[in-house]
């Protein structure tokens, strides 16, 4: 069953990447929907049956019933089914502030070279000239307090910018030591950024570094979809494609209606290599 | 304490002594029945210019029926506590009821950019958990609370928070100003006529809202006897003396869910979300608020008993939610 898949889309690819990082040795705080939630739900069915994750409503370690109620996840009975504990938002934030949250997993609108996250406004903040979004929600607490934060976003020039228009949730701010100067706990911060095309880590200078790329793109293609030039790891890895088993679980048990995955380009294995399928 | 950095935004005045006095003078210390209609509760306890907190939201065990009643009574100049919310802020701003929002997370769309651009609404920036922490400080009767998050963000610059040198460790630490809303509206699973209330399942900050707010309206799916509370006191989420009004509101969270009682109505949710993303609530408010006089009439005429039976049937998980 661990056969490499031959047909999948970008969204499925990135969910499988993040899912493989998830380990039941750790505690996760996960954004309430989208790729982050799909990744942990997949991991729980693959490698981490005792997975513990928190959501913002203070739900600890649920065995969620999927697929979810079509629209909403948190504060609903399917998402919170068979949890170990039910709390509230301050409890979730306290657990993270205490140091229990090893990893946070977040989807983001815009990210910059220091891993700062914008979910407030694209364009100018003052006077309502920019396009306004929802605000940090729970992401600020995750980004500030989890020991390591994993971000997921799209590989697009407008999403990878030199400096975000508004720091809604903190990355490394403007470099080493900045988080601590603003009162954030030491030893925390951004760890990985995943897109459907690449995986990024951070160098000692707290700036994004490309560490791996998908087998269906070139390094040049990834760089073209960024507004700044990041560092490149000395040995660039190639990310492994989803397996048939991962896709089967994702498609038949988790995102049955394609609410999260029905988006993005398709990839096929043809003539001995992975490449984008003709639309 | 040395202040290292300060947000530049207005915030609701911090006054723990004033709040104590208001608890002494205005809270119902005695067990008295507070059962009343939506109309009476909102008329008596929500005032123009109030700082209004609602717990949870229009889709997730929130006081949706009370929000519609506030719109129906055309309250003005409310300052909203916009934590963990989708359409409620949009509804209240678009209906002309609110002109300020503290934002943790709100459902966005053309309405918010337009409201800010046209100066119909002022925004103050926080995060969800920074707002619930502000409520926790308000619920403890203290003026502020330290937090290890929110520093270094641009939101901080547009908030009422400060970073100070912690007098104990000497390190920088963020302080959030306590929040004591004028009024909170909270939807619960069960309440008695005095205001003792139970929430089953996860929540956002219902206990903090009840303790921190000068006036509190609880709407409940079920009104149960006080003996129910005495039988299992550990499950009391909110004590009667924090509550000013109890409203019996079956399906009060519609179109949202109440865990263990009924599922959300996807079409009802989509209708509200659609209005928000289009940036036009005219039709929505006409149909869901102004066309009826009460919540009961709304359930009968607009939602319909078939729909109510369907959402109750769809909620198949009951473990942990029954008394």
């Amino acid at each position: 069953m661990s056969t490499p898949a031959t047909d999948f889309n970008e969204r499925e690819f990135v969910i499988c990447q993040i899912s493989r990082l998830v380990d039941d040795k750790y505690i996760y705080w996960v954004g309430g929907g989208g790729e982050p939630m799909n990744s942990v739900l997949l991991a729980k069915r693959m490698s981490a049956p005792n997975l513990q994750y928190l959501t913002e409503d203070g739900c600890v370690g649920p065995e969620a019933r999927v697929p979810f109620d079509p629209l909403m996840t948190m504060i609903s009975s399917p998402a919170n089914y068979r949890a170990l504990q039910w709390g509230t938002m301050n409890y979730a934030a306290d657990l993270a502030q205490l140091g229990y949250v090893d990893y946070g997993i977040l989807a983001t609108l815009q990210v910059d070279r220091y891993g700062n996250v914008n979910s407030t406004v694209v364009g100018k903040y003052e006077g309502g000239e920019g396009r306004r979004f929802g605000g940090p929600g729970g992401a600020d607490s995750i980004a500030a307090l989890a020991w390591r934060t994993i971000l997921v976003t799209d590989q697009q020039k407008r999403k990878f910018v030199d400096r975000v228009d508004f720091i809604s949730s903190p990355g490394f701010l403007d470099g080493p030591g900045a988080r601590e100067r603003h009162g954030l706990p030491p030893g925390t911060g951004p760890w990985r950024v995943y897109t459907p095309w690449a995986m990024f880590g951070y160098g000692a200078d707290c700036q994004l570094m490309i560490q791996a790329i998908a087998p269906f793109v070139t390094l040049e293609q990834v760089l073209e979809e960024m507004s700044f030039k990041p560092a490149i790891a000395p040995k660039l890895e190639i990310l492994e494609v989803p397996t048939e088993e991962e896709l089967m679980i994702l498609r038949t048990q988790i995102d049955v209606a394609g609410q999260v995955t029905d988006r993005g380009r398709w990839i096929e294995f043809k003539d001995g290599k992975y490449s984008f399928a003709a639309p | 304490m040395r202040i290292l950095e300060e947000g530049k935004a207005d915030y609701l005045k911090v006054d723990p002594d004033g709040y104590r006095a208001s608890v002494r003078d205005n809270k119902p210390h005695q067990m008295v029945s507070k059962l009343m209609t939506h109309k009476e509760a909102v008329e008596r306890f929500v005032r123009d210019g109030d700082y209004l907190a609602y717990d949870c939201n229009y889709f997730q065990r929130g006081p949706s029926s009370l929000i519609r009643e506030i719109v129906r009574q055309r309250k003005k100049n409310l300052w909203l506590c916009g934590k963990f919310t989708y359409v409620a802020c949009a509804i209240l701003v678009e209906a002309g009821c609110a002109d300020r929002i503290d934002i943790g997370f709100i459902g966005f769309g053309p309405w918010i950019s337009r409201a800010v651009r046209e100066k119909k609404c002022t925004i103050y920036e926080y995060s969800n958990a920074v707002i619930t922490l502000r409520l926790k400080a308000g619920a403890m009767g203290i003026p502020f609370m330290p937090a290890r998050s929110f520093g270094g963000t641009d939101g901080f610059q547009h908030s009422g928070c400060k970073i100070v040198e912690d007098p104990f460790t000497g390190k920088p630490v963020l302080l959030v100003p306590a929040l004591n809303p004028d009024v909170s509206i909270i939807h619960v699973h069960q309440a008695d006529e005095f205001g003792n209330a139970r929430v089953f399942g996860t929540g956002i900050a219902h206990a903090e809202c009840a303790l921190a707010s000068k006036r509190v309206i609880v709407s409940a799916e079920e009104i149960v006897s006080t003996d129910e509370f005495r039988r299992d006191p550990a499950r009391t989420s909110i004590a009667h003396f924090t509550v000013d009004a109890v409203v019996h509101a079956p399906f009060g969270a519609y179109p949202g869910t109440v865990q263990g009682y009924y599922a959300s109505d996807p079409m009802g949710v989509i209708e509200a979300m659609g209005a928000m993303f289009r940036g036009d609530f005219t039709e929505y408010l006409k149909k869901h608020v102004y066309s009826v006089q009460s919540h009961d009439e709304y359930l009968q005429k607009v939602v319909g008993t078939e729909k109510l039976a369907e959402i109750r049937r769809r909620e198949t998980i009951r473990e942990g939610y029954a008394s």
Side-chain angles (χ1 to χ4, degrees):
Chain A
M1 285 296 272
S2 63
T3 318
T6 52
D7 284 283
F8 50 87
N9 73 20
E10 290 180 311
R11 203 63 37 197
E12 293 172 331
F13 179 83
V14 76
I15 288 168
C16 291
Q17 300 304 319
I18 297 168
S19 169
R20 289 171 191 165
L21 300 174
V22 173
D23 189 317
D24 53 20
K25 289 204 292 278
Y26 301 111
I27 297 172
Y28 295 80
W29 183 346
V30 185
E35 294 93 340
M37 183 54 74
N38 275 246
S39 300
V40 297
L41 293 174
L42 177 59
K44 190 165 169 66
R45 284 156 184 77
M46 293 289 303
S47 56
N50 291 313
L51 169 68
Q52 297 172 78
Y53 66 88
L54 310 177
T55 48
E56 209 181 325
D57 55 341
C59 188
V60 178
E63 299 194 319
R65 189 187 76 184
V66 285
F68 289 143
D69 193 294
L71 296 149
M72 290 300 145
T73 56
M74 290 180 274
I75 317 198
S76 74
S77 67
N80 293 349
Y81 191 43
R82 289 178 53 79
L84 295 168
Q85 189 180 18
W86 284 337
T88 58
M89 186 176 283
N90 277 325
Y91 182 59
D94 288 350
L95 290 176
Q97 194 159 267
L98 283 161
Y100 280 105
V101 176
D102 299 293
Y103 291 88
I105 310 179
L106 290 173
T108 176
L109 182 69
Q110 195 184 48
V111 62
D112 68 19
R113 63 164 72 235
Y114 288 106
N116 299 309
V117 170
N118 177 14
S119 48
T120 300
V121 66
V122 170
K124 194 163 168 271
Y125 176 79
E126 304 290 344
E129 283 173 43
R131 184 166 173 218
R132 176 86 209 195
F133 291 85
D140 169 68
S141 304
I142 299 175
L145 302 171
W147 289 109
R148 289 172 157 179
T149 302
I150 300 165
L151 294 177
V152 50
T153 191
D154 295 325
Q155 192 68 55
Q156 293 174 7
K157 222 178 172 90
R158 64 196 175 97
K159 302 221 164 184
F160 277 86
V161 294
D162 190 48
R163 183 67 172 180
V164 287
D165 296 330
F166 192 97
I167 301 180
S168 310
S169 303
F172 287 114
L173 301 174
D174 53 10
R179 287 173 65 93
E180 291 80 359
R181 281 196 295 280
H182 290 92
L184 308 184
T188 57
W191 183 61
R192 292 282 185 270
V193 177
Y194 274 89
T195 76
W197 291 12
M199 183 267 275
F200 301 78
Y202 293 84
D205 59 356
C206 295
Q207 298 192 37
L208 277 178
M209 177 191 281
I210 302 187
Q211 294 191 322
I213 61 170
F216 47 86
V217 291
T218 63
L219 178 60
E220 289 66 35
Q221 282 176 297
V222 175
L223 293 173
E224 270 170 33
E225 289 296 341
M226 299 182 70
S227 298
F228 62 93
K229 187 157 189 319
I232 296 157
K235 190 176 175 304
L236 199 63
E237 308 274 345
I238 304 296
L239 297 168
E240 285 183 24
V241 300
T243 65
E244 295 287 358
E245 186 184 12
E246 285 170 325
L247 289 181
M248 192 264 287
I249 292 171
L250 190 56
R251 292 169 182 175
T252 65
Q253 295 180 31
I254 298 171
D255 193 39
V256 176
Q259 287 166 306
V260 176
T261 53
D262 190 12
R263 187 160 75 85
R265 296 168 72 182
W266 280 83
I267 292 111
E268 61 184 2
F269 188 73
K270 206 174 165 184
D271 305 328
K273 63 184 176 57
Y274 286 95
S275 54
F276 289 111
Chain B
M1 255 188 294
R2 196 157 68 93
I3 295 174
L4 305 175
E5 221 182 326
E6 287 184 277
K8 297 180 224 23
D10 281 346
Y11 50 92
L12 189 68
K13 190 173 175 245
V14 175
D15 179 17
D17 291 337
Y19 189 68
R20 276 179 61 84
S22 111
V23 165
R24 180 191 58 202
D25 298 340
N26 303 318
K27 282 289 181 183
H29 293 221
Q30 194 185 2
M31 296 254 279
V32 285
S33 179
K34 296 151 193 162
L35 265 179
M36 60 186 85
T37 61
H38 285 78
K39 184 165 182 286
E40 186 185 358
V42 171
E43 273 172 3
R44 285 179 58 189
F45 297 109
V46 181
R47 297 168 194 164
D48 290 350
D50 271 356
Y51 189 106
L52 169 76
Y54 50 91
D55 201 55
C56 291
N57 62 56
Y58 205 71
F59 301 141
Q60 291 158 294
R61 214 203 61 243
S64 307
S65 62
L66 284 167
I67 289 168
R68 287 186 288 267
E69 183 60 31
I70 288 171
V71 173
R72 199 173 289 123
Q73 293 190 21
R74 300 181 191 272
K75 298 290 177 184
K76 294 271 175 288
N77 304 112
L78 299 173
W79 184 343
L80 303 177
C81 188
K83 62 180 162 54
F84 195 80
T85 186
Y86 295 89
V87 296
C89 283
I91 288 174
L92 290 163
V93 170
E94 288 285 298
C97 300
D99 55 14
R100 283 164 291 178
I101 316 176
D102 285 343
I103 290 187
F105 181 85
I106 59 162
F108 48 91
W111 71 276
I112 182 71
S113 303
R114 188 174 61 221
V116 173
R117 210 166 43 239
E118 294 172 1
K119 297 191 167 46
K120 280 185 355 203
C121 188
T122 308
I123 304 286
Y124 310 103
E125 310 288 348
Y126 295 92
S127 75
N128 281 344
V130 164
I131 291 181
T132 57
L133 195 63
R134 292 185 61 198
L135 289 163
K136 189 167 170 179
M140 291 173 71
I142 57 177
F144 59 82
M145 181 81 91
R148 311 290 308 275
S149 60
F150 200 50
T153 64
D154 287 321
F156 168 82
Q157 303 295 335
H158 301 277
S159 77
C161 298
K162 299 176 195 292
I163 293 175
V164 300
E165 188 184 272
D166 171 1
F168 297 99
T169 65
K171 291 178 182 174
V173 70
L174 182 112
L175 302 182
V176 308
L179 180 56
N180 290 110
D182 294 303
V183 60
S184 272
I185 54 176
I186 305 166
H187 190 62
V188 303
H189 290 79
Q190 297 178 334
D192 70 7
E193 61 179 317
F194 307 109
N196 295 303
R198 284 167 165 174
V199 166
F200 303 135
T202 64
I204 299 303
H206 48 270
E208 293 90 331
C209 277
L211 288 165
S213 301
K214 286 183 188 152
R215 287 167 256 128
V216 173
I217 305 174
V218 162
S219 58
E221 288 294 324
E222 295 182 279
I223 302 296
V224 300
S225 77
T226 304
D227 277 347
E228 282 291 318
F229 288 86
R230 295 194 187 278
R231 203 169 52 77
D232 193 1
R235 297 190 77 175
T236 305
S237 317
I238 292 170
H240 71 90
F241 41 73
T242 62
V243 176
D244 296 279
V246 179
V247 175
H248 185 208
F251 296 101
Y254 180 88
T257 176
V258 168
Q259 319 99 299
Y261 281 36
Y262 50 89
S264 65
D265 172 26
M267 290 318 291
V269 170
I270 287 167
E271 215 178 321
M273 294 283 264
M276 183 176 74
F277 287 127
R278 279 196 313 277
D280 185 357
F281 275 93
T282 318
E283 287 304 312
Y284 188 86
L285 295 177
K286 207 159 101 187
K287 174 176 166 190
H288 292 273
V289 180
Y290 302 127
S291 74
V292 290
Q293 296 300 311
S294 70
H295 179 58
D296 289 345
E297 193 188 347
Y298 175 67
L299 293 182
Q300 279 169 30
K301 290 194 182 160
V302 182
V303 184
T305 48
E306 243 174 83
K307 175 72 77 183
L308 298 177
E310 180 210 316
I311 59 177
R312 210 183 271 293
R313 205 165 46 236
R314 280 195 18 246
E315 184 69 350
T316 54
I317 296 173
R318 299 289 160 91
E319 294 97 315
Y321 300 112
S323 59

